[in-house]
Amino acid sequence: MKNQAALRTAVRVGAIAGGLCVAWVLMLYFTGQNPYGPKRLMTMFVPPVAVLVAQWRARKQAPEQFGFSMALLTGVVTLLLTASLSGLGVYTLARTGNPQLIEQNRLQMKRMIQAERANFLKEKGGKEQYERSIRGIASTPSALAQDDFSKKLLAGLFFFLPGAVFFRK
């Protein structure tokens, strides 16, 4: 019984958070901005907040039954759903939207990295890192989606464990 309430909360919060990420990318697309560029990363705060909100709401529903494992499960489910929906939204937009935007994004990211070339070369192993960065620019819908998913997952990973410790009973 307690598992169902916590999981329902995790699914609800994860779906809302993922929907917010997709809405932001769509807003960028429909306003003529680069939906795959740096402005897309403004949603990086959404997964950590969603994880903490889900854990807090699940604990609030059944505080006497909400332990560490349930807090951990709630955070993981919320994080995976948020990151998955966000990545799926980016993938769907990249597949159905204007394909020229992907190429424009690739060129914009390449120019940004090239502008930082001098800083790369000052570091030890900077030349290799610079070349890796240039090669690592996403140029396909699946690469853009994978980039979005992994960054959102990484952002949330730093919060679900501390949240579980804090919100456990």
Side-chain angles (χ1 to χ4, degrees), residues 65-121:
Q65 300 170 343
F66 196 72
F68 177 75
S69 61
M70 190 50 53
L72 200 61
L73 181 64
T74 302
V76 168
V77 169
T78 304
L79 178 59
L80 287 174
L81 190 57
T82 302
S84 297
L85 288 176
S86 181
L88 184 62
V90 169
Y91 178 78
T92 302
L93 179 63
R95 294 285 295 176
T96 60
N98 185 352
Q100 293 170 344
L101 287 177
I102 297 173
E103 183 59 24
Q104 288 174 358
N105 176 65
R106 193 182 70 71
L107 292 174
Q108 179 185 8
M109 298 305 287
K110 187 174 182 178
R111 281 193 303 268
M112 288 171 61
I113 293 170
Q114 287 172 338
E116 293 295 319
R117 184 169 194 245
N119 292 334
F120 275 105
L121 297 180

